[in-house]
């Protein structure tokens, strides 16, 4: 058991009748099950709550609207199983387990080159038509680091290199030579990353352009989905099947109020374009 689990078991044993309350911004069923008090067969989940509607009403956040991206490729689960059985029939059980540890079929599906190219085109068209004219910026959320690279390469057909940036944790050689060579160009020192994020948060103006700032779209997989506050981020293009509190925290990157310093127009809502079917 982890240290946290041992602590939880110990406190339960020491104080069996004590009421326990979690302080969290993202309550999920696991939290309610762990901390909710049971009264007359019903779970009393909250001592107090401040809901998303409350935050919108107070002006602390703006609503988030959802749109679905194009879905032109479909995965037949049974055919996938049959195909997997065919290509691994010559392997013994240990070799099959090694393959399963290294390859996740759903990720391979999401990273299929023609699919990424089609969605990159849709992202570019959507951004140019709906986001860029407002002065807003965007984030593309992908399944993993390799998918970040694939999206970066595909988006370069529609954006100047100065307009897009990949933000991922540094990849070391221990990840393997092949993966390291694919991702090493995106390794950044802490100072460079800080400077990039600072530029992303600023409105693109003639003055910013003279300073070399033209960053409009960030491509991420795990980093910046929590704790990153950039009110100028208006749209998130989601191509990763994140769930529960991770999904709620990611969506919140787009719900920060923002008043455009150039036009004076206020952001009325954040926006999420779903390419993976989460919603």
């Amino acid at each position: 058991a982890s240290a946290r689990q041992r602590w939880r078991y110990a406190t339960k044993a020491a104080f069996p009748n004590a009421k326990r309350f979690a302080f969290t911004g993202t309550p999920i069923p696991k939290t309610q099950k762990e901390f909710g008090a049971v009264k007359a067969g019903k779970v009393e989940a909250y001592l107090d709550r401040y809901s998303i509607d409350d935050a919108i009403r107070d002006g602390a956040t703006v609503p988030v609207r959802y749109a679905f991206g194009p879905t032109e490729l479909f995965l037949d689960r049974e055919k996938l199983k049959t195909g997997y059985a065919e290509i691994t029939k010559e392997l013994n059980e240990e070799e099959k387990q090694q393959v399963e540890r290294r390859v996740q079929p759903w990720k391979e599906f999401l990273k299929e080159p023609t699919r990424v190219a089609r969605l990159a085109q849709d992202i570019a068209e959507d951004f140019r038509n709906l986001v860029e004219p407002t002065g807003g910026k965007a984030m593309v959320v992908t399944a993993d680091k390799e998918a970040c690279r694939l999206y970066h390469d595909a988006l370069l057909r529609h954006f100047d290199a100065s307009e897009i940036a990949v933000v991922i944790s540094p990849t070391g050689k221990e990840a393997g030579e092949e993966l390291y060579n694919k991702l090493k160009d995106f390794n950044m020192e802490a100072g460079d990353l800080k400077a990039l994020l600072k530029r992303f948060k600023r409105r693109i103006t003639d003055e910013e352009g003279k300073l070399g700032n033209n960053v409009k779209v960030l491509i991420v997989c795990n980093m910046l989905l929590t704790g990153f506050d950039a009110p100028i981020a208006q749209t998130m293009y989601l191509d990763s099947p994140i769930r529960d509190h991770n999904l709620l925290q990611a969506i919140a990157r787009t719900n920060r109020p923002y008043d455009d310093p150039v036009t004076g127009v206020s952001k009325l809502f954040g926006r999420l374009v779903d390419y993976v079917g989460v919603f």
Side-chain angles (χ1 to χ4, degrees), residues 65-84:
R65 295 183 178 176
Y66 306 93
F68 289 97
T71 303
E72 297 180 353
L73 295 175
F74 297 90
L75 186 63
D76 187 313
R77 188 185 298 268
E78 293 307 315
K79 287 184 179 179
L80 178 65
K81 290 180 179 178
T82 301
Y84 175 76

Side-chain angles (χ1 to χ4, degrees), residues 3-275:
R4 179 177 294 181
Q5 288 173 324
R6 291 196 299 271
W7 176 84
R8 189 163 68 238
Y9 297 149
T11 54
K12 278 186 175 182
F15 306 101
N17 298 318
K19 294 290 188 293
R20 301 161 63 242
F21 298 94
F23 185 73
T24 174
T26 52
I28 57 176
K30 288 181 181 178
T31 309
Q32 296 176 4
K33 181 179 179 181
E34 177 68 26
F35 291 95
V38 178
K39 286 188 176 182
K42 295 183 179 180
V43 176
E44 186 181 71
Y46 305 101
L47 174 67
D48 188 32
R49 62 185 294 180
Y50 185 77
S51 70
I52 292 173
D53 288 339
D54 291 331
I56 294 171
R57 189 162 45 247
D58 290 345
T61 63
V62 297
V64 178
R65 295 183 178 176
Y66 306 93
F68 289 97
T71 303
E72 297 180 353
L73 295 175
F74 297 90
L75 186 63
D76 187 313
R77 188 185 298 268
E78 293 307 315
K79 287 184 179 179
L80 178 65
K81 290 180 179 178
T82 301
Y84 175 76
E86 289 177 355
I87 64 175
T88 60
K89 63 183 179 181
E90 303 297 330
L91 304 180
N92 60 40
E93 194 59 36
E94 183 179 351
E95 291 170 334
K96 286 182 180 180
Q97 290 177 3
Q98 289 179 355
V99 171
E100 290 169 4
R101 283 194 293 268
R102 293 184 58 187
V103 178
Q104 294 177 288
W106 65 269
K107 281 190 178 181
E108 299 307 312
F109 174 71
L110 293 184
K111 294 186 287 187
E112 201 279 324
T114 58
R115 178 181 183 275
V116 173
R118 174 67 185 92
L119 298 189
Q121 179 182 347
D122 188 77
I123 289 171
E125 292 173 354
D126 184 273
F127 182 83
R128 296 301 192 198
N129 292 330
L130 299 179
V131 182
E132 190 173 33
T134 71
K137 299 189 179 184
M139 299 174 68
V140 179
V141 181
T142 75
D144 61 17
K145 289 184 177 182
E146 186 180 20
C148 286
R149 183 190 67 83
L150 293 172
Y151 264 103
H152 177 268
D153 293 349
L155 288 170
L156 281 178
R157 303 188 187 105
H158 310 281
F159 290 86
D160 184 80
S162 64
E163 295 179 291
I164 62 177
V166 171
V167 178
I168 56 178
S169 59
T171 304
K173 292 186 178 180
E174 66 276 4
E177 184 178 357
E178 181 180 359
L179 187 60
Y180 173 75
N181 288 333
K182 287 180 179 179
L183 301 174
K184 64 181 180 180
D185 291 341
F186 302 127
N187 287 350
M188 277 189 286
E189 298 292 335
D192 294 333
L193 174 59
K194 185 176 181 180
L196 169 66
L197 300 185
K198 190 174 182 179
R199 293 198 304 273
F200 178 77
K201 293 179 181 182
R202 294 201 291 260
R203 172 71 145 92
I204 299 297
T205 61
D206 291 340
E207 290 76 13
E208 285 293 319
K210 292 176 183 177
L211 295 173
N213 181 13
N214 197 34
V215 183
K216 300 174 183 177
V217 179
L218 296 181
I219 306 166
V220 305
C221 55
N222 291 318
M223 289 185 66
L224 308 186
L225 296 187
T226 61
F228 177 56
D229 193 10
I232 199 170
Q234 201 277 335
T235 292
M236 174 175 286
Y237 301 103
L238 181 64
D239 195 32
S240 178
I242 51 179
R243 296 168 49 184
D244 299 330
H245 61 289
N246 294 323
L247 179 62
L248 180 60
Q249 290 171 336
I251 291 170
R253 299 315 103 207
T254 68
N255 73 0
R256 303 301 193 257
Y258 176 72
D259 298 316
D260 191 299
V262 177
T263 65
V265 175
S266 298
K267 180 167 73 174
L268 299 181
F269 57 88
R271 185 164 162 267
L272 188 141
V273 181
D274 180 8
Y275 289 112

